[in-house]
Amino acid sequence: MNGSRSADLINSLAYDKIISMSELTNKTALQLNSIFLNKEASAQQITEAFLQRIEQYDKTINAFISVNGELALKRAQELDQKLAAGESLGKLAGVPIGIKDLINLEGSETTAGSRMLNGYTSSFNATITQKVIDAGAIPLGKLNLDEFAMGSSNETSAYGNCKNPWDPNKVPGGSSGGSAAAIAAKMVPLAFGTDTGGSIRQPAAYCGITGLKPTYGRVSRYGIVAFASSLDQAGPMTQDVESNALLLEAMSGHDAKDSTSLENPVPNYLAAIEQGFKKTQSLKGLKIGIAQDFFVPELNSEVKAAVENAITKYKELGAEIIDISLNKIKYGLPTYYIIAPSEASSNLSRYDGVRYGLRDMDATSLSDLYPNSRANFGTEVKKRIMLGVYALSSGYYDAYYKKAQQARALIAEDFNIAFQQCDLILSPTAPATAFEIGSKTDDPLEMYLEDIMTVTVNLAGLPGISINCGYDSNNMPIGMQLIAPALEEARIYNAAYAFQSTTDFNKSPDMKSSKAIGV
Amino acid sequence: MSLDREEVIKIAKLANLRLTDEEIDKYSGDLNAILGYVEQLQELDTTGVEPMIGAINHNKELREDKAVDSGLQAKMLANAPDSEGTAIKVPQMS
């Protein structure tokens, strides 16, 4: 179709209401979809509004590694034409999305936050990318992350720190820090994250947004750079629960290209909310388990108070609160720090400079080419590869890897027993709120403790969400986590919606304030 | 269990990583700290516990192992640092 014909078609759309760009970027994904379908704004206007917002704020925040405005506007134009032609459109039609930069988007570079993949251009879409494009979403660009998703602060990214929009002196969390910061700063209404030990939920908590790690296997991993394959899962990151439910539905489903993806039918998660709390305005009959095992000594007192207030709120909403025990979860972190690096050491052996990424072009033999090319890995990545290689090496396998797999079985069993008594488990998402950039880089264990409340959920393969439940005395967001049995994401969404829609804890930072601009 | 410099060098070699002296020192310290931390797993009684290899039990049949044309050969070759015809080029083995 040539330019003038497409322009005619768009001009023929009746945009009777004029919505300003800042109004558009204030809307949720769900609202933007209906604004587009009702022809209150074109997909191009929506896309331009978010691109302009990125232009305005991302110099400070650094949430994006790359922005592909041209490709986005082209896709938006196609959607406008389809709408004008009366074609049927998907559930995400007209809604921009940001892609964590270890998920392939055809025609864009995929860096995984590492120098190692410098110059690599995706030749195909990840299954989840293709699914959301088919549903009408508009990818705007690739989001910053810790290198190969290994980190809890975005500080290991080879493309510079992403900053927390609530306070740019603080980290956005990690590894999906770019995704969480972009949502909080309203630079995109939808984003993909990935979560191996907490990488969606902890940054969601630090940036005051909604982030869900689905049940292992709910979402295809095809086309996503692998970190620890038995733990990795991509999930939706949004400001509100309903948009999150909308995105999960679009991402989910069996994929012949990922043998670990589940064949179970994908529920309509929004309908579950509609028929659930929206209708009844009560959580009567829901049993929420509280395990003191999550309330560790390291837990910040303001976080603890906010989570206790949330428990009280759930009681008011009609839920029954039950004390449960999860006494094996204290072994979660040591188990994770054997299993995840072991799997990573195997997955990352593919980065050898042969087929893609950086190669030492001066190497005169293969035996030099491998280690010289792999010198492009950052410090944290090399450390985890070393840890994994050691744990898997002959003589140590039983003491480390096998022992960790047995511990993993006991942790999963702990959850199974708990879920015989309750429907959901509520905990803090992280021990504290976002910390200052550079404050946790000396002690290797200090950073790992960031994942203490989230890793067990990955080990057991369960779904978990982080939603905001308060603000500390520095006005930094506080997250709480809701965990459900496998494939019960709808239950999580209904309870999360109930909290979010009856409280005032889902705010966005004032980007115009001097604090957020970082002067 | 603790690692000395020699062992760190050995692991690096197994991992196809070349470390500077500074890195060897740093990794010796860090790896020992992490290994010390994971040591607490030893207090957990796992006698007779079946190791859990994945998050979900899959008893699915694998799909047929059949070659299919992805149609992506040219794009994939374009990502290779060096190629000739339809082959990726590397220096000789030694």
PDB file of all heavy atoms in Angstrom, chain A residues 97-124:
ATOM      1  N   ILE A  97       4.433  -1.823  23.630  1.00  0.00           N
ATOM      2  CA  ILE A  97       5.047  -2.745  24.591  1.00  0.00           C
ATOM      3  C   ILE A  97       6.567  -2.604  24.527  1.00  0.00           C
ATOM      4  O   ILE A  97       7.134  -2.303  23.469  1.00  0.00           O
ATOM      5  CB  ILE A  97       4.601  -4.209  24.322  1.00  0.00           C
ATOM      6  CG1 ILE A  97       5.110  -5.163  25.418  1.00  0.00           C
ATOM      7  CG2 ILE A  97       5.061  -4.711  22.936  1.00  0.00           C
ATOM      8  CD1 ILE A  97       4.446  -6.541  25.396  1.00  0.00           C
ATOM      9  N   GLY A  98       7.211  -2.800  25.670  1.00  0.00           N
ATOM     10  CA  GLY A  98       8.674  -2.828  25.732  1.00  0.00           C
ATOM     11  C   GLY A  98       9.131  -4.268  25.937  1.00  0.00           C
ATOM     12  O   GLY A  98       8.499  -5.026  26.667  1.00  0.00           O
ATOM     13  N   ILE A  99      10.222  -4.638  25.292  1.00  0.00           N
ATOM     14  CA  ILE A  99      10.701  -6.024  25.321  1.00  0.00           C
ATOM     15  C   ILE A  99      12.022  -6.082  26.075  1.00  0.00           C
ATOM     16  O   ILE A  99      12.991  -5.416  25.680  1.00  0.00           O
ATOM     17  CB  ILE A  99      10.933  -6.539  23.868  1.00  0.00           C
ATOM     18  CG1 ILE A  99       9.761  -6.173  22.941  1.00  0.00           C
ATOM     19  CG2 ILE A  99      11.299  -8.016  23.859  1.00  0.00           C
ATOM     20  CD1 ILE A  99       8.665  -7.159  22.821  1.00  0.00           C
ATOM     21  N   LYS A 100      12.078  -6.856  27.134  1.00  0.00           N
ATOM     22  CA  LYS A 100      13.348  -7.034  27.855  1.00  0.00           C
ATOM     23  C   LYS A 100      14.376  -7.544  26.858  1.00  0.00           C
ATOM     24  O   LYS A 100      14.099  -8.459  26.079  1.00  0.00           O
ATOM     25  CB  LYS A 100      13.149  -8.022  29.001  1.00  0.00           C
ATOM     26  CG  LYS A 100      14.387  -8.191  29.893  1.00  0.00           C
ATOM     27  CD  LYS A 100      14.099  -9.133  31.063  1.00  0.00           C
ATOM     28  CE  LYS A 100      15.322  -9.321  31.951  1.00  0.00           C
ATOM     29  NZ  LYS A 100      15.059 -10.251  33.082  1.00  0.00           N
ATOM     30  N   ASP A 101      15.577  -6.965  26.911  1.00  0.00           N
ATOM     31  CA  ASP A 101      16.534  -7.194  25.825  1.00  0.00           C
ATOM     32  C   ASP A 101      17.262  -8.532  25.881  1.00  0.00           C
ATOM     33  O   ASP A 101      18.422  -8.644  25.472  1.00  0.00           O
ATOM     34  CB  ASP A 101      17.530  -6.033  25.728  1.00  0.00           C
ATOM     35  CG  ASP A 101      18.151  -5.953  24.328  1.00  0.00           C
ATOM     36  OD1 ASP A 101      17.593  -6.570  23.408  1.00  0.00           O
ATOM     37  OD2 ASP A 101      19.196  -5.287  24.172  1.00  0.00           O
ATOM     38  N   LEU A 102      16.566  -9.576  26.378  1.00  0.00           N
ATOM     39  CA  LEU A 102      17.080 -10.922  26.119  1.00  0.00           C
ATOM     40  C   LEU A 102      16.005 -11.751  25.441  1.00  0.00           C
ATOM     41  O   LEU A 102      16.077 -12.967  25.370  1.00  0.00           O
ATOM     42  CB  LEU A 102      17.646 -11.619  27.375  1.00  0.00           C
ATOM     43  CG  LEU A 102      16.952 -11.642  28.709  1.00  0.00           C
ATOM     44  CD1 LEU A 102      15.488 -11.953  28.669  1.00  0.00           C
ATOM     45  CD2 LEU A 102      17.669 -12.574  29.659  1.00  0.00           C
ATOM     46  N   ILE A 103      15.003 -11.024  24.914  1.00  0.00           N
ATOM     47  CA  ILE A 103      13.903 -11.666  24.197  1.00  0.00           C
ATOM     48  C   ILE A 103      13.973 -11.181  22.752  1.00  0.00           C
ATOM     49  O   ILE A 103      14.054  -9.967  22.502  1.00  0.00           O
ATOM     50  CB  ILE A 103      12.549 -11.291  24.840  1.00  0.00           C
ATOM     51  CG1 ILE A 103      12.521 -11.737  26.316  1.00  0.00           C
ATOM     52  CG2 ILE A 103      11.386 -11.876  24.051  1.00  0.00           C
ATOM     53  CD1 ILE A 103      11.356 -11.202  27.124  1.00  0.00           C
ATOM     54  N   ASN A 104      13.980 -12.120  21.813  1.00  0.00           N
ATOM     55  CA  ASN A 104      14.183 -11.742  20.415  1.00  0.00           C
ATOM     56  C   ASN A 104      13.007 -10.970  19.826  1.00  0.00           C
ATOM     57  O   ASN A 104      11.851 -11.352  19.987  1.00  0.00           O
ATOM     58  CB  ASN A 104      14.441 -12.992  19.565  1.00  0.00           C
ATOM     59  CG  ASN A 104      15.883 -13.468  19.689  1.00  0.00           C
ATOM     60  OD1 ASN A 104      16.789 -12.857  19.129  1.00  0.00           O
ATOM     61  ND2 ASN A 104      16.097 -14.533  20.439  1.00  0.00           N
ATOM     62  N   LEU A 105      13.345  -9.883  19.157  1.00  0.00           N
ATOM     63  CA  LEU A 105      12.410  -9.078  18.372  1.00  0.00           C
ATOM     64  C   LEU A 105      13.060  -8.958  16.996  1.00  0.00           C
ATOM     65  O   LEU A 105      14.129  -8.347  16.854  1.00  0.00           O
ATOM     66  CB  LEU A 105      12.221  -7.692  19.015  1.00  0.00           C
ATOM     67  CG  LEU A 105      11.498  -6.636  18.186  1.00  0.00           C
ATOM     68  CD1 LEU A 105      10.041  -7.032  17.931  1.00  0.00           C
ATOM     69  CD2 LEU A 105      11.538  -5.273  18.893  1.00  0.00           C
ATOM     70  N   GLU A 106      12.435  -9.575  16.024  1.00  0.00           N
ATOM     71  CA  GLU A 106      13.036  -9.654  14.689  1.00  0.00           C
ATOM     72  C   GLU A 106      13.447  -8.277  14.169  1.00  0.00           C
ATOM     73  O   GLU A 106      12.691  -7.316  14.242  1.00  0.00           O
ATOM     74  CB  GLU A 106      12.027 -10.288  13.717  1.00  0.00           C
ATOM     75  CG  GLU A 106      12.659 -10.610  12.368  1.00  0.00           C
ATOM     76  CD  GLU A 106      11.679 -11.213  11.369  1.00  0.00           C
ATOM     77  OE1 GLU A 106      10.589 -11.658  11.789  1.00  0.00           O
ATOM     78  OE2 GLU A 106      12.014 -11.227  10.185  1.00  0.00           O
ATOM     79  N   GLY A 107      14.664  -8.207  13.666  1.00  0.00           N
ATOM     80  CA  GLY A 107      15.159  -6.971  13.073  1.00  0.00           C
ATOM     81  C   GLY A 107      15.804  -6.024  14.068  1.00  0.00           C
ATOM     82  O   GLY A 107      16.365  -5.005  13.683  1.00  0.00           O
ATOM     83  N   SER A 108      15.714  -6.335  15.379  1.00  0.00           N
ATOM     84  CA  SER A 108      16.359  -5.499  16.397  1.00  0.00           C
ATOM     85  C   SER A 108      17.553  -6.241  16.992  1.00  0.00           C
ATOM     86  O   SER A 108      17.596  -7.464  16.985  1.00  0.00           O
ATOM     87  CB  SER A 108      15.387  -5.188  17.538  1.00  0.00           C
ATOM     88  OG  SER A 108      14.370  -4.332  17.100  1.00  0.00           O
ATOM     89  N   GLU A 109      18.476  -5.473  17.532  1.00  0.00           N
ATOM     90  CA  GLU A 109      19.585  -6.127  18.233  1.00  0.00           C
ATOM     91  C   GLU A 109      19.088  -6.729  19.532  1.00  0.00           C
ATOM     92  O   GLU A 109      18.204  -6.164  20.179  1.00  0.00           O
ATOM     93  CB  GLU A 109      20.693  -5.106  18.533  1.00  0.00           C
ATOM     94  CG  GLU A 109      21.537  -4.805  17.319  1.00  0.00           C
ATOM     95  CD  GLU A 109      22.831  -4.074  17.669  1.00  0.00           C
ATOM     96  OE1 GLU A 109      23.188  -3.986  18.859  1.00  0.00           O
ATOM     97  OE2 GLU A 109      23.477  -3.598  16.730  1.00  0.00           O
ATOM     98  N   THR A 110      19.628  -7.872  19.910  1.00  0.00           N
ATOM     99  CA  THR A 110      19.362  -8.457  21.220  1.00  0.00           C
ATOM    100  C   THR A 110      20.701  -8.539  21.924  1.00  0.00           C
ATOM    101  O   THR A 110      21.615  -9.223  21.460  1.00  0.00           O
ATOM    102  CB  THR A 110      18.738  -9.864  21.082  1.00  0.00           C
ATOM    103  OG1 THR A 110      17.463  -9.733  20.451  1.00  0.00           O
ATOM    104  CG2 THR A 110      18.544 -10.523  22.438  1.00  0.00           C
ATOM    105  N   THR A 111      20.843  -7.809  23.035  1.00  0.00           N
ATOM    106  CA  THR A 111      22.163  -7.733  23.683  1.00  0.00           C
ATOM    107  C   THR A 111      22.264  -8.592  24.935  1.00  0.00           C
ATOM    108  O   THR A 111      23.366  -8.887  25.391  1.00  0.00           O
ATOM    109  CB  THR A 111      22.483  -6.288  24.122  1.00  0.00           C
ATOM    110  OG1 THR A 111      21.588  -5.922  25.183  1.00  0.00           O
ATOM    111  CG2 THR A 111      22.335  -5.300  22.967  1.00  0.00           C
ATOM    112  N   ALA A 112      21.130  -8.939  25.550  1.00  0.00           N
ATOM    113  CA  ALA A 112      21.121  -9.589  26.856  1.00  0.00           C
ATOM    114  C   ALA A 112      21.896  -8.759  27.899  1.00  0.00           C
ATOM    115  O   ALA A 112      22.370  -9.282  28.894  1.00  0.00           O
ATOM    116  CB  ALA A 112      21.662 -11.024  26.791  1.00  0.00           C
ATOM    117  N   GLY A 113      22.040  -7.459  27.619  1.00  0.00           N
ATOM    118  CA  GLY A 113      22.757  -6.592  28.557  1.00  0.00           C
ATOM    119  C   GLY A 113      24.248  -6.848  28.596  1.00  0.00           C
ATOM    120  O   GLY A 113      24.953  -6.416  29.504  1.00  0.00           O
ATOM    121  N   SER A 114      24.750  -7.580  27.583  1.00  0.00           N
ATOM    122  CA  SER A 114      26.146  -7.999  27.567  1.00  0.00           C
ATOM    123  C   SER A 114      26.871  -7.477  26.328  1.00  0.00           C
ATOM    124  O   SER A 114      26.275  -7.325  25.271  1.00  0.00           O
ATOM    125  CB  SER A 114      26.204  -9.537  27.553  1.00  0.00           C
ATOM    126  OG  SER A 114      27.532  -9.991  27.549  1.00  0.00           O
ATOM    127  N   ARG A 115      28.170  -7.261  26.482  1.00  0.00           N
ATOM    128  CA  ARG A 115      28.985  -6.924  25.309  1.00  0.00           C
ATOM    129  C   ARG A 115      29.162  -8.138  24.408  1.00  0.00           C
ATOM    130  O   ARG A 115      29.437  -8.032  23.223  1.00  0.00           O
ATOM    131  CB  ARG A 115      30.368  -6.434  25.746  1.00  0.00           C
ATOM    132  CG  ARG A 115      30.364  -5.006  26.260  1.00  0.00           C
ATOM    133  CD  ARG A 115      31.778  -4.507  26.398  1.00  0.00           C
ATOM    134  NE  ARG A 115      32.563  -5.439  27.217  1.00  0.00           N
ATOM    135  CZ  ARG A 115      33.886  -5.560  27.157  1.00  0.00           C
ATOM    136  NH1 ARG A 115      34.576  -4.819  26.328  1.00  0.00           N
ATOM    137  NH2 ARG A 115      34.511  -6.415  27.932  1.00  0.00           N
ATOM    138  N   MET A 116      29.015  -9.314  25.041  1.00  0.00           N
ATOM    139  CA  MET A 116      29.260 -10.572  24.332  1.00  0.00           C
ATOM    140  C   MET A 116      28.443 -10.693  23.057  1.00  0.00           C
ATOM    141  O   MET A 116      28.888 -11.277  22.075  1.00  0.00           O
ATOM    142  CB  MET A 116      28.898 -11.723  25.297  1.00  0.00           C
ATOM    143  CG  MET A 116      29.362 -13.085  24.871  1.00  0.00           C
ATOM    144  SD  MET A 116      31.132 -13.262  24.958  1.00  0.00           S
ATOM    145  CE  MET A 116      31.388 -14.283  23.515  1.00  0.00           C
ATOM    146  N   LEU A 117      27.217 -10.158  23.072  1.00  0.00           N
ATOM    147  CA  LEU A 117      26.326 -10.308  21.921  1.00  0.00           C
ATOM    148  C   LEU A 117      26.350  -9.091  20.998  1.00  0.00           C
ATOM    149  O   LEU A 117      25.487  -8.959  20.126  1.00  0.00           O
ATOM    150  CB  LEU A 117      24.904 -10.582  22.398  1.00  0.00           C
ATOM    151  CG  LEU A 117      24.595 -12.063  22.639  1.00  0.00           C
ATOM    152  CD1 LEU A 117      23.243 -12.240  23.320  1.00  0.00           C
ATOM    153  CD2 LEU A 117      24.618 -12.836  21.321  1.00  0.00           C
ATOM    154  N   ASN A 118      27.336  -8.233  21.197  1.00  0.00           N
ATOM    155  CA  ASN A 118      27.444  -7.026  20.393  1.00  0.00           C
ATOM    156  C   ASN A 118      27.266  -7.310  18.899  1.00  0.00           C
ATOM    157  O   ASN A 118      27.927  -8.180  18.346  1.00  0.00           O
ATOM    158  CB  ASN A 118      28.832  -6.425  20.628  1.00  0.00           C
ATOM    159  CG  ASN A 118      28.798  -4.934  20.517  1.00  0.00           C
ATOM    160  OD1 ASN A 118      28.220  -4.404  19.574  1.00  0.00           O
ATOM    161  ND2 ASN A 118      29.393  -4.255  21.484  1.00  0.00           N
ATOM    162  N   GLY A 119      26.355  -6.579  18.279  1.00  0.00           N
ATOM    163  CA  GLY A 119      26.167  -6.714  16.835  1.00  0.00           C
ATOM    164  C   GLY A 119      25.201  -7.804  16.420  1.00  0.00           C
ATOM    165  O   GLY A 119      24.919  -7.978  15.244  1.00  0.00           O
ATOM    166  N   TYR A 120      24.652  -8.544  17.396  1.00  0.00           N
ATOM    167  CA  TYR A 120      23.727  -9.627  17.058  1.00  0.00           C
ATOM    168  C   TYR A 120      22.344  -9.047  16.751  1.00  0.00           C
ATOM    169  O   TYR A 120      21.743  -8.361  17.580  1.00  0.00           O
ATOM    170  CB  TYR A 120      23.628 -10.633  18.207  1.00  0.00           C
ATOM    171  CG  TYR A 120      22.527 -11.647  18.003  1.00  0.00           C
ATOM    172  CD1 TYR A 120      22.691 -12.696  17.095  1.00  0.00           C
ATOM    173  CD2 TYR A 120      21.310 -11.544  18.666  1.00  0.00           C
ATOM    174  CE1 TYR A 120      21.669 -13.610  16.874  1.00  0.00           C
ATOM    175  CE2 TYR A 120      20.288 -12.457  18.455  1.00  0.00           C
ATOM    176  CZ  TYR A 120      20.477 -13.483  17.557  1.00  0.00           C
ATOM    177  OH  TYR A 120      19.463 -14.382  17.335  1.00  0.00           O
ATOM    178  N   THR A 121      21.839  -9.335  15.573  1.00  0.00           N
ATOM    179  CA  THR A 121      20.502  -8.885  15.184  1.00  0.00           C
ATOM    180  C   THR A 121      19.572 -10.096  15.143  1.00  0.00           C
ATOM    181  O   THR A 121      19.891 -11.105  14.508  1.00  0.00           O
ATOM    182  CB  THR A 121      20.539  -8.209  13.797  1.00  0.00           C
ATOM    183  OG1 THR A 121      21.450  -7.115  13.877  1.00  0.00           O
ATOM    184  CG2 THR A 121      19.165  -7.693  13.400  1.00  0.00           C
ATOM    185  N   SER A 122      18.432  -9.998  15.816  1.00  0.00           N
ATOM    186  CA  SER A 122      17.501 -11.128  15.872  1.00  0.00           C
ATOM    187  C   SER A 122      16.960 -11.432  14.478  1.00  0.00           C
ATOM    188  O   SER A 122      16.442 -10.550  13.800  1.00  0.00           O
ATOM    189  CB  SER A 122      16.332 -10.803  16.800  1.00  0.00           C
ATOM    190  OG  SER A 122      16.802 -10.583  18.100  1.00  0.00           O
ATOM    191  N   SER A 123      17.083 -12.687  14.083  1.00  0.00           N
ATOM    192  CA  SER A 123      16.575 -13.082  12.777  1.00  0.00           C
ATOM    193  C   SER A 123      15.146 -13.622  12.874  1.00  0.00           C
ATOM    194  O   SER A 123      14.543 -13.956  11.874  1.00  0.00           O
ATOM    195  CB  SER A 123      17.498 -14.132  12.153  1.00  0.00           C
ATOM    196  OG  SER A 123      17.732 -15.180  13.054  1.00  0.00           O
ATOM    197  N   PHE A 124      14.619 -13.687  14.079  1.00  0.00           N
ATOM    198  CA  PHE A 124      13.250 -14.193  14.265  1.00  0.00           C
ATOM    199  C   PHE A 124      12.672 -13.600  15.550  1.00  0.00           C
ATOM    200  O   PHE A 124      13.412 -13.043  16.368  1.00  0.00           O
ATOM    201  CB  PHE A 124      13.248 -15.727  14.352  1.00  0.00           C
ATOM    202  CG  PHE A 124      13.985 -16.258  15.567  1.00  0.00           C
ATOM    203  CD1 PHE A 124      13.292 -16.749  16.658  1.00  0.00           C
ATOM    204  CD2 PHE A 124      15.371 -16.232  15.624  1.00  0.00           C
ATOM    205  CE1 PHE A 124      13.964 -17.226  17.785  1.00  0.00           C
ATOM    206  CE2 PHE A 124      16.051 -16.699  16.745  1.00  0.00           C
ATOM    207  CZ  PHE A 124      15.341 -17.199  17.821  1.00  0.00           C
TER     208      PHE A 124
END
